[in-house]
Amino acid sequence: SGVFLREIAKRLIEGLKEEIPDLQKRIDHIFHKQLYGIAITELTSLLSRRSVYCSKYPNSKYSITLFKDTSGNIRYKRIPHRWQNGKCLFCGASKSEYERGDELETHAYEWIHTIKPEEIFKMKFDVIIGNPPYQLETANKSLSNGQLPSKSIFHHFQLSADQISSGLTVLIYPGGRWIQRSGKGMADFGLQQINDSRLQTLYYYPDSTDLFPAQVAEIADGISI
């Protein structure tokens, strides 16, 4: 919903007072040259722009900084999955469940449905912050506990971030399986991350309610940052 971008903007507006004394020039510089976001759905793109630009459409008179288009630097692009043998080549989503009409979200997240994520904004970034989607439901039939089988996708966001980051990356996602290198696709990912020389700090919370209220999310794997 744009919370990360909004809080960063508040700090930059305060921190750049001496370098750019004029408030409007400072706001324009921050929103046009420093802050960029990739929304995961059309709805969250509208929410994020409303939170950050004070308008869903930053080319309108209500926006606190004026862009030429309706997206500004917070983009959402509806893209299709790329199917092969009934599954998406990028995220592994099932074609039978995620090949949808325009009335439904495809959940083909732009950031992880490309081999060149740096081409989205034509640049690399000094800082990347995110709490990406953790998983996709993969079957219509429920498990014995009433939940649907799921496929982890959070690690794809980490791998894309590794490609477009030239500085600091901070991501929040489930912690247990990839650290223990258990579960489908987690062994290779965990080994790669643990051996990556860029990994500076790992916080692991076995009890997800230490970070998120229980009524919001209770994640069996815990949370890692």
Side-chain angles (χ1 to χ4, degrees):
S1 61
V3 172
F4 288 158
L5 291 173
R6 186 187 68 208
E7 292 303 311
I8 294 169
K10 288 166 60 177
R11 298 184 186 206
L12 288 172
I13 289 169
E14 179 66 26
L16 290 174
K17 273 185 178 180
E18 293 186 8
E19 287 82 356
I20 310 175
D22 182 86
L23 177 59
Q24 188 58 56
K25 289 182 179 179
R26 190 159 73 247
I27 288 173
D28 291 340
H29 174 79
I30 291 167
F31 289 135
H32 284 259
K33 298 181 182 294
Q34 290 189 284
L35 288 181
Y36 298 78
I38 304 176
I40 60 173
T41 65
E42 182 178 14
L43 177 60
T44 57
S45 74
L46 297 173
L47 289 169
S48 296
R49 292 184 203 118
R50 180 66 180 82
S51 294
V52 176
Y53 304 137
C54 299
S55 173
K56 293 182 292 185
Y57 306 109
N59 62 344
S60 76
K61 65 180 181 180
Y62 301 107
S63 177
I64 60 172
T65 186
L66 194 62
F67 284 87
K68 293 181 180 180
D69 57 39
T70 58
S71 297
N73 282 338
I74 301 175
R75 63 180 279 157
Y76 169 73
K77 183 178 180 181
R78 183 184 176 92
I79 58 175
H81 293 278
R82 187 176 296 180
W83 306 117
Q84 186 177 77
N85 299 324
K87 292 187 176 182
C88 177
L89 284 171
F90 289 104
C91 70
S94 170
K95 183 177 181 179
S96 63
E97 293 171 64
Y98 287 95
E99 188 175 45
R100 299 171 167 179
D102 292 340
E103 72 280 3
L104 294 175
E105 292 285 353
T106 64
H107 299 286
Y109 305 116
E110 183 179 16
W111 196 9
I112 65 172
H113 283 74
T114 173
I115 59 174
K116 295 182 177 180
E118 67 274 13
E119 291 297 310
I120 295 175
F121 285 115
K122 309 295 183 184
M123 68 179 81
K124 289 200 170 188
F125 288 87
D126 299 310
V127 180
I128 297 173
I129 298 175
N131 180 17
Y134 297 160
Q135 60 193 26
L136 289 175
E137 296 173 353
T138 58
N140 291 320
K141 294 181 180 179
S142 298
L143 299 173
S144 58
N145 59 7
Q147 296 180 332
L148 289 172
S150 61
K151 177 178 179 60
S152 295
I153 60 169
F154 63 85
H155 56 299
H156 295 302
F157 287 85
Q158 177 69 65
L159 296 174
S160 287
D162 290 343
Q163 292 186 60
I164 65 176
S165 173
S166 59
L168 178 68
T169 298
V170 182
L171 294 180
I172 304 170
Y173 47 68
R177 283 173 291 173
W178 79 266
I179 294 174
Q180 298 164 6
R181 297 193 287 283
S182 63
K184 189 175 182 180
M186 294 296 100
D188 291 342
F189 173 70
L191 191 63
Q192 178 181 345
Q193 292 302 309
I194 294 298
N195 290 327
D196 193 325
S197 61
R198 293 172 295 182
L199 180 62
Q200 295 184 3
T201 308
L202 171 64
Y203 299 96
Y204 175 48
Y205 297 83
D207 185 352
S208 64
T209 60
D210 287 344
L211 294 186
F212 298 119
Q215 65 269 29
V216 174
E218 186 171 350
I219 300 165
D221 278 343
I223 292 292
S224 60
I225 302 174

